Amino acid sequence: MDKIIMGIDPGTNIMGYGVLAVKDGRPHMVTMGIIDLRKFPDAYLKLGHIFERVTGIIQSYLPDELAIEAPFFGKNVQSMLKLGRAQGVAIAAAIERSVPIHEYAPMKIKMALTGNGSASKEQVAGMLQRLLKIPQEEMGRFMDATDALAAAYCHYLQMGRPESDAPHYRGWKDFVNKNQDKVWKSKKS
């Protein structure tokens, strides 16, 4: 079951990404990094840059699947809306390249890696470093990259035991093709 899994930690100033290769059932880090959005003064320019960079990363590493961290509800609704837009654009880039998407809550990712849903970013990064044997000099200074790699690792752990029987779709065409009977029934009603 060899595959490439890309992880994304959505952000409006710094967006993290990580890529895992699964060979002979064992994960190995391919790369991790950030998309720095701080230099863009306009929110829409940031969204355009996210789309371009995520598309470029997908073209470079050809992931079989994308694992993305779901936005969590905080006290600031405006921040959540901005984060949701950034996540949506990253998802659109994956859909445009026909990469299946799997979304994980931050607590689920932390729980999968550390056994503690309230683990700190540092604890998650430390566990990833040990599990994937990442040299210290490759860890980087932004935790957004390790958070993205953690999303990919969480998906790797879930591959053997899917959360539900809910179908996953590769895009709108795939959705329509897999739901022809439902679409036809609703048109008759």
Side-chain angles (χ1 to χ4, degrees), residues 63-160:
D64 297 296
E65 300 187 45
L66 174 78
I68 192 163
E69 186 174 302
F72 61 94
F73 183 73
K75 293 182 181 180
N76 188 333
V77 175
Q78 286 300 314
S79 292
M80 186 173 170
L81 288 172
K82 289 176 186 174
L83 188 60
R85 287 178 181 159
Q87 184 205 34
V89 169
I91 288 171
I95 289 172
E96 198 261 335
R97 303 301 287 173
S98 299
V99 178
I101 300 139
H102 304 272
E103 189 174 41
Y104 296 97
M107 282 184 69
K108 175 147 184 108
I109 294 169
K110 291 174 182 181
M111 180 66 82
L113 264 90
T114 68
N116 176 3
S118 301
S120 69
K121 288 180 173 280
E122 292 79 13
Q123 288 172 314
V124 170
M127 186 60 78
L128 271 174
Q129 187 176 14
R130 284 188 291 284
L131 290 168
L132 297 172
K133 298 174 178 66
I134 303 169
Q136 183 59 41
E137 60 272 8
E138 291 183 33
M139 287 302 288
R141 65 173 208 195
F142 290 99
M143 296 286 174
D144 308 86
T146 51
D147 283 353
L149 195 60
Y153 196 89
C154 176
H155 183 66
Y156 157 74
L157 293 173
Q158 294 300 309
M159 288 181 347

Side-chain angles (χ1 to χ4, degrees), residues 13-82:
N13 288 318
I14 304 286
M15 179 174 276
Y17 66 90
V19 179
L20 278 182
V22 180
K23 301 231 187 257
D24 299 323
R26 297 182 63 178
H28 306 279
M29 183 187 81
V30 175
T31 189
M32 69 174 159
I34 61 159
I35 300 169
D36 192 343
L37 304 162
R38 295 173 293 180
K39 62 186 171 200
F40 296 97
D42 181 76
Y44 298 106
L45 290 175
K46 286 182 181 188
L47 295 176
H49 189 68
I50 290 168
F51 187 83
E52 287 173 8
R53 289 285 288 127
V54 171
T55 300
I57 295 164
I58 289 170
Q59 288 171 335
S60 294
Y61 296 100
L62 303 172
D64 297 296
E65 300 187 45
L66 174 78
I68 192 163
E69 186 174 302
F72 61 94
F73 183 73
K75 293 182 181 180
N76 188 333
V77 175
Q78 286 300 314
S79 292
M80 186 173 170
L81 288 172
K82 289 176 186 174

